[in-house]
Amino acid sequence: MTTADFGINFHTVNKAYDLLRQQGVIRINRKSGAVVRRDAATGPPEAPFIDDWEERMRVLLAEATVHGIDRQDVLRRCEALLIAFEEST
């Protein structure tokens, strides 16, 4: 089955693979293809990931503040999302 069978554009798939590679989630090898590089069981993430993640979180928290979402609501929503992730694994 190919991406065309699902009606997915080849360029969209390439962009997704590139984003996952940039984020350190997968490693791409010409011979073996894409391989998952790490998961939660492989230990703590590398420092560059943490730095990038904190910067993205800073932007999201600034947006929430500008729109009047208070601290307790932010924390409640984060907790709900974390619980949902834990339940799905």
Side-chain angles (χ1 to χ4, degrees):
M1 206 166 263
T2 67
T3 57
D5 294 331
F6 290 107
I8 302 171
N9 185 290
F10 175 76
H11 296 290
T12 301
V13 173
N14 279 342
K15 286 180 185 179
Y17 273 110
D18 190 51
L19 180 61
L20 290 169
R21 183 192 55 76
Q22 288 175 19
Q23 292 177 345
V25 175
I26 63 172
R27 179 176 39 84
I28 299 177
N29 182 305
R30 288 180 173 247
K31 293 182 181 182
S32 61
V35 178
V36 174
R37 187 167 170 250
R38 61 169 287 113
D39 62 15
T42 61
E46 298 169 0
F49 169 79
I50 293 293
D51 293 341
D52 181 57
W53 178 76
E54 283 184 352
E55 184 57 34
R56 289 180 285 137
M57 185 171 50
R58 184 183 319 278
V59 171
L60 289 172
L61 290 173
E63 290 174 2
T65 301
V66 166
H67 287 281
I69 301 173
D70 67 28
R71 176 188 180 95
Q72 290 305 314
D73 197 17
V74 168
L75 294 173
R76 182 185 57 76
R77 290 169 185 269
C78 287
E79 183 70 24
L81 287 171
L82 286 170
I83 290 169
F85 285 134
E86 290 167 356
E87 290 175 351
S88 69
T89 58

Short mmCIF file of all heavy atoms in Angstrom, two decimals, residues 5-46:
data_model
loop_
_atom_site.label_atom_id
_atom_site.label_comp_id
_atom_site.label_asym_id
_atom_site.label_seq_id
_atom_site.Cartn_x
_atom_site.Cartn_y
_atom_site.Cartn_z
N ASP A 5 -2.53 5.43 -2.13
CA ASP A 5 -3.71 4.62 -1.82
C ASP A 5 -4.56 5.25 -0.72
O ASP A 5 -5.76 5.05 -0.66
CB ASP A 5 -3.30 3.22 -1.37
CG ASP A 5 -2.64 2.43 -2.49
OD1 ASP A 5 -2.95 2.67 -3.67
OD2 ASP A 5 -1.80 1.56 -2.18
N PHE A 6 -3.93 6.03 0.14
CA PHE A 6 -4.64 6.70 1.22
C PHE A 6 -5.03 8.13 0.85
O PHE A 6 -5.64 8.83 1.63
CB PHE A 6 -3.79 6.74 2.49
CG PHE A 6 -3.61 5.39 3.13
CD1 PHE A 6 -2.40 4.73 3.05
CD2 PHE A 6 -4.66 4.79 3.81
CE1 PHE A 6 -2.24 3.50 3.64
CE2 PHE A 6 -4.49 3.55 4.39
CZ PHE A 6 -3.29 2.90 4.31
N GLY A 7 -4.61 8.58 -0.31
CA GLY A 7 -4.89 9.94 -0.74
C GLY A 7 -4.03 10.97 -0.02
O GLY A 7 -4.45 12.10 0.17
N ILE A 8 -2.83 10.55 0.39
CA ILE A 8 -1.92 11.45 1.10
C ILE A 8 -0.84 11.91 0.13
O ILE A 8 -0.21 11.10 -0.55
CB ILE A 8 -1.26 10.74 2.30
CG1 ILE A 8 -2.33 10.25 3.27
CG2 ILE A 8 -0.28 11.68 3.00
CD1 ILE A 8 -1.80 9.35 4.36
N ASN A 9 -0.62 13.20 0.10
CA ASN A 9 0.38 13.76 -0.79
C ASN A 9 1.78 13.35 -0.34
O ASN A 9 2.11 13.42 0.85
CB ASN A 9 0.26 15.29 -0.80
CG ASN A 9 1.18 15.94 -1.80
OD1 ASN A 9 2.39 15.95 -1.62
ND2 ASN A 9 0.60 16.47 -2.86
N PHE A 10 2.60 12.93 -1.28
CA PHE A 10 3.97 12.50 -1.01
C PHE A 10 4.77 13.59 -0.29
O PHE A 10 5.54 13.31 0.63
CB PHE A 10 4.64 12.13 -2.34
CG PHE A 10 6.09 11.78 -2.22
CD1 PHE A 10 6.47 10.55 -1.70
CD2 PHE A 10 7.08 12.67 -2.61
CE1 PHE A 10 7.81 10.21 -1.58
CE2 PHE A 10 8.41 12.34 -2.51
CZ PHE A 10 8.78 11.12 -1.98
N HIS A 11 4.58 14.84 -0.67
CA HIS A 11 5.32 15.94 -0.05
C HIS A 11 4.91 16.14 1.41
O HIS A 11 5.73 16.49 2.26
CB HIS A 11 5.14 17.24 -0.84
CG HIS A 11 5.72 17.15 -2.21
ND1 HIS A 11 7.08 17.09 -2.45
CD2 HIS A 11 5.14 17.08 -3.43
CE1 HIS A 11 7.31 17.00 -3.74
NE2 HIS A 11 6.14 16.99 -4.36
N THR A 12 3.64 15.89 1.72
CA THR A 12 3.16 15.98 3.10
C THR A 12 3.85 14.93 3.96
O THR A 12 4.29 15.22 5.09
CB THR A 12 1.63 15.80 3.17
OG1 THR A 12 1.02 16.80 2.36
CG2 THR A 12 1.12 15.89 4.59
N VAL A 13 3.98 13.74 3.44
CA VAL A 13 4.65 12.66 4.17
C VAL A 13 6.12 13.02 4.38
O VAL A 13 6.65 12.86 5.49
CB VAL A 13 4.51 11.32 3.41
CG1 VAL A 13 5.36 10.23 4.07
CG2 VAL A 13 3.05 10.90 3.35
N ASN A 14 6.77 13.53 3.36
CA ASN A 14 8.18 13.93 3.49
C ASN A 14 8.35 15.01 4.54
O ASN A 14 9.30 14.99 5.32
CB ASN A 14 8.74 14.40 2.15
CG ASN A 14 9.15 13.24 1.27
OD1 ASN A 14 9.33 12.13 1.75
ND2 ASN A 14 9.28 13.50 -0.01
N LYS A 15 7.44 15.98 4.57
CA LYS A 15 7.52 17.05 5.58
C LYS A 15 7.36 16.47 6.98
O LYS A 15 8.05 16.89 7.91
CB LYS A 15 6.45 18.11 5.32
CG LYS A 15 6.76 19.01 4.15
CD LYS A 15 5.65 20.03 3.96
CE LYS A 15 5.87 20.87 2.72
NZ LYS A 15 4.79 21.83 2.52
N ALA A 16 6.44 15.52 7.13
CA ALA A 16 6.22 14.91 8.44
C ALA A 16 7.47 14.15 8.89
O ALA A 16 7.91 14.28 10.05
CB ALA A 16 5.02 13.96 8.39
N TYR A 17 8.06 13.38 7.99
CA TYR A 17 9.29 12.66 8.32
C TYR A 17 10.41 13.63 8.69
O TYR A 17 11.15 13.42 9.64
CB TYR A 17 9.75 11.78 7.16
CG TYR A 17 9.13 10.40 7.17
CD1 TYR A 17 8.19 10.03 6.23
CD2 TYR A 17 9.52 9.46 8.11
CE1 TYR A 17 7.63 8.77 6.23
CE2 TYR A 17 8.96 8.18 8.13
CZ TYR A 17 8.03 7.86 7.19
OH TYR A 17 7.47 6.60 7.21
N ASP A 18 10.53 14.73 7.95
CA ASP A 18 11.57 15.70 8.22
C ASP A 18 11.37 16.35 9.58
O ASP A 18 12.33 16.54 10.34
CB ASP A 18 11.64 16.76 7.11
CG ASP A 18 12.86 17.63 7.24
OD1 ASP A 18 13.98 17.08 7.37
OD2 ASP A 18 12.71 18.86 7.23
N LEU A 19 10.13 16.68 9.92
CA LEU A 19 9.85 17.27 11.23
C LEU A 19 10.19 16.30 12.35
O LEU A 19 10.82 16.68 13.35
CB LEU A 19 8.38 17.69 11.31
CG LEU A 19 7.93 18.32 12.62
CD1 LEU A 19 8.71 19.60 12.90
CD2 LEU A 19 6.45 18.61 12.57
N LEU A 20 9.81 15.04 12.20
CA LEU A 20 10.13 14.04 13.21
C LEU A 20 11.64 13.84 13.34
O LEU A 20 12.17 13.68 14.44
CB LEU A 20 9.46 12.70 12.88
CG LEU A 20 7.94 12.67 13.03
CD1 LEU A 20 7.37 11.40 12.43
CD2 LEU A 20 7.54 12.82 14.49
N ARG A 21 12.36 13.92 12.23
CA ARG A 21 13.82 13.81 12.25
C ARG A 21 14.42 15.01 12.97
O ARG A 21 15.29 14.86 13.83
CB ARG A 21 14.37 13.73 10.83
CG ARG A 21 15.89 13.54 10.78
CD ARG A 21 16.44 13.75 9.39
NE ARG A 21 16.09 15.05 8.82
CZ ARG A 21 16.67 16.21 9.16
NH1 ARG A 21 17.60 16.25 10.06
NH2 ARG A 21 16.28 17.34 8.58
N GLN A 22 13.94 16.21 12.66
CA GLN A 22 14.45 17.42 13.30
C GLN A 22 14.22 17.40 14.81
O GLN A 22 15.04 17.91 15.58
CB GLN A 22 13.79 18.67 12.71
CG GLN A 22 14.25 19.01 11.32
CD GLN A 22 13.46 20.18 10.75
OE1 GLN A 22 12.84 20.94 11.47
NE2 GLN A 22 13.48 20.31 9.43
N GLN A 23 13.12 16.83 15.22
CA GLN A 23 12.80 16.77 16.65
C GLN A 23 13.49 15.61 17.36
O GLN A 23 13.34 15.43 18.56
CB GLN A 23 11.28 16.67 16.83
CG GLN A 23 10.55 17.92 16.41
CD GLN A 23 9.05 17.80 16.54
OE1 GLN A 23 8.50 16.70 16.67
NE2 GLN A 23 8.36 18.92 16.48
N GLY A 24 14.25 14.82 16.62
CA GLY A 24 15.00 13.73 17.23
C GLY A 24 14.17 12.50 17.54
O GLY A 24 14.61 11.62 18.27
N VAL A 25 12.97 12.42 16.99
CA VAL A 25 12.09 11.28 17.26
C VAL A 25 12.48 10.07 16.41
O VAL A 25 12.44 8.93 16.88
CB VAL A 25 10.61 11.65 17.02
CG1 VAL A 25 9.70 10.44 17.19
CG2 VAL A 25 10.19 12.78 17.95
N ILE A 26 12.88 10.32 15.17
CA ILE A 26 13.27 9.23 14.28
C ILE A 26 14.67 9.48 13.72
O ILE A 26 15.17 10.60 13.72
CB ILE A 26 12.28 9.04 13.11
CG1 ILE A 26 12.24 10.28 12.21
CG2 ILE A 26 10.91 8.65 13.62
CD1 ILE A 26 11.43 10.09 10.94
N ARG A 27 15.27 8.40 13.25
CA ARG A 27 16.54 8.45 12.54
C ARG A 27 16.25 7.88 11.16
O ARG A 27 15.58 6.86 11.03
CB ARG A 27 17.58 7.60 13.27
CG ARG A 27 18.92 7.55 12.61
CD ARG A 27 19.93 6.75 13.46
NE ARG A 27 19.40 5.58 14.12
CZ ARG A 27 19.27 4.38 13.55
NH1 ARG A 27 19.62 4.20 12.30
NH2 ARG A 27 18.79 3.36 14.23
N ILE A 28 16.71 8.56 10.13
CA ILE A 28 16.45 8.10 8.77
C ILE A 28 17.74 7.57 8.17
O ILE A 28 18.76 8.24 8.16
CB ILE A 28 15.86 9.23 7.91
CG1 ILE A 28 14.54 9.69 8.50
CG2 ILE A 28 15.69 8.76 6.46
CD1 ILE A 28 13.90 10.86 7.79
N ASN A 29 17.65 6.33 7.68
CA ASN A 29 18.79 5.67 7.06
C ASN A 29 18.36 5.27 5.65
O ASN A 29 17.28 4.70 5.47
CB ASN A 29 19.18 4.42 7.87
CG ASN A 29 20.37 3.71 7.32
OD1 ASN A 29 20.40 3.33 6.15
ND2 ASN A 29 21.35 3.49 8.17
N ARG A 30 19.18 5.58 4.67
CA ARG A 30 18.82 5.28 3.28
C ARG A 30 18.49 3.81 3.05
O ARG A 30 17.62 3.48 2.26
CB ARG A 30 19.95 5.70 2.34
CG ARG A 30 20.07 7.17 2.18
CD ARG A 30 21.22 7.49 1.23
NE ARG A 30 21.25 8.90 0.94
CZ ARG A 30 20.99 9.41 -0.25
NH1 ARG A 30 20.71 8.62 -1.25
NH2 ARG A 30 21.02 10.71 -0.42
N LYS A 31 19.19 2.92 3.75
CA LYS A 31 18.98 1.48 3.53
C LYS A 31 17.85 0.90 4.36
O LYS A 31 17.07 0.09 3.87
CB LYS A 31 20.28 0.73 3.82
CG LYS A 31 21.37 1.05 2.83
CD LYS A 31 22.61 0.25 3.10
CE LYS A 31 23.68 0.63 2.08
NZ LYS A 31 24.90 -0.14 2.26
N SER A 32 17.75 1.31 5.64
CA SER A 32 16.75 0.70 6.51
C SER A 32 15.49 1.53 6.69
O SER A 32 14.53 1.09 7.29
CB SER A 32 17.36 0.40 7.89
OG SER A 32 17.81 1.60 8.51
N GLY A 33 15.50 2.77 6.17
CA GLY A 33 14.32 3.63 6.28
C GLY A 33 14.29 4.38 7.59
O GLY A 33 15.32 4.61 8.23
N ALA A 34 13.10 4.75 8.04
CA ALA A 34 12.94 5.52 9.27
C ALA A 34 12.81 4.57 10.46
O ALA A 34 12.07 3.60 10.43
CB ALA A 34 11.70 6.40 9.17
N VAL A 35 13.56 4.90 11.51
CA VAL A 35 13.56 4.09 12.73
C VAL A 35 13.31 5.03 13.91
O VAL A 35 13.92 6.10 13.99
CB VAL A 35 14.92 3.37 12.90
CG1 VAL A 35 14.96 2.58 14.19
CG2 VAL A 35 15.22 2.49 11.71
N VAL A 36 12.44 4.61 14.81
CA VAL A 36 12.19 5.41 16.00
C VAL A 36 13.48 5.46 16.81
O VAL A 36 14.08 4.44 17.13
CB VAL A 36 11.04 4.82 16.85
CG1 VAL A 36 10.88 5.59 18.16
CG2 VAL A 36 9.74 4.85 16.05
N ARG A 37 13.90 6.68 17.11
CA ARG A 37 15.18 6.90 17.77
C ARG A 37 15.09 6.74 19.28
O ARG A 37 16.00 6.27 19.92
CB ARG A 37 15.68 8.30 17.43
CG ARG A 37 17.05 8.60 17.91
CD ARG A 37 17.56 9.88 17.25
NE ARG A 37 18.77 10.27 17.91
CZ ARG A 37 18.89 11.32 18.69
NH1 ARG A 37 17.86 12.11 18.90
NH2 ARG A 37 20.03 11.60 19.27
N ARG A 38 13.98 7.20 19.84
CA ARG A 38 13.84 7.14 21.29
C ARG A 38 12.36 7.12 21.68
O ARG A 38 11.50 7.49 20.90
CB ARG A 38 14.55 8.32 21.95
CG ARG A 38 14.03 9.68 21.56
CD ARG A 38 14.58 10.80 22.45
NE ARG A 38 13.95 10.74 23.75
CZ ARG A 38 14.56 10.43 24.90
NH1 ARG A 38 15.83 10.20 24.93
NH2 ARG A 38 13.89 10.37 26.03
N ASP A 39 12.12 6.70 22.90
CA ASP A 39 10.80 6.79 23.49
C ASP A 39 10.99 7.11 24.98
O ASP A 39 12.12 7.31 25.43
CB ASP A 39 9.98 5.51 23.27
CG ASP A 39 10.61 4.28 23.92
OD1 ASP A 39 11.50 4.43 24.77
OD2 ASP A 39 10.20 3.17 23.57
N ALA A 40 9.93 7.15 25.72
CA ALA A 40 10.02 7.55 27.13
C ALA A 40 10.90 6.61 27.95
O ALA A 40 11.48 7.02 28.95
CB ALA A 40 8.61 7.61 27.73
N ALA A 41 11.04 5.36 27.52
CA ALA A 41 11.82 4.39 28.27
C ALA A 41 13.33 4.54 28.05
O ALA A 41 14.11 3.91 28.76
CB ALA A 41 11.38 2.98 27.90
N THR A 42 13.75 5.38 27.11
CA THR A 42 15.19 5.51 26.83
C THR A 42 15.89 6.51 27.72
O THR A 42 17.06 6.78 27.55
CB THR A 42 15.43 5.89 25.36
OG1 THR A 42 14.81 7.15 25.10
CG2 THR A 42 14.93 4.85 24.40
N GLY A 43 15.18 7.05 28.69
CA GLY A 43 15.79 7.99 29.63
C GLY A 43 15.40 9.42 29.32
O GLY A 43 14.57 9.68 28.45
N PRO A 44 16.01 10.35 30.03
CA PRO A 44 15.65 11.75 29.84
C PRO A 44 16.04 12.26 28.45
O PRO A 44 17.00 11.77 27.86
CB PRO A 44 16.44 12.48 30.93
CG PRO A 44 17.53 11.56 31.31
CD PRO A 44 17.05 10.17 31.02
N PRO A 45 15.31 13.23 27.95
CA PRO A 45 15.63 13.78 26.63
C PRO A 45 16.94 14.58 26.67
O PRO A 45 17.40 15.00 27.73
CB PRO A 45 14.45 14.69 26.32
CG PRO A 45 13.84 15.00 27.63
CD PRO A 45 14.14 13.86 28.54
N GLU A 46 17.50 14.78 25.50
CA GLU A 46 18.73 15.54 25.38
C GLU A 46 18.45 17.02 25.62
O GLU A 46 17.35 17.52 25.39
CB GLU A 46 19.32 15.33 23.99
CG GLU A 46 19.69 13.88 23.72
CD GLU A 46 20.02 13.60 22.27
OE1 GLU A 46 19.98 14.54 21.45
OE2 GLU A 46 20.33 12.44 21.96
#
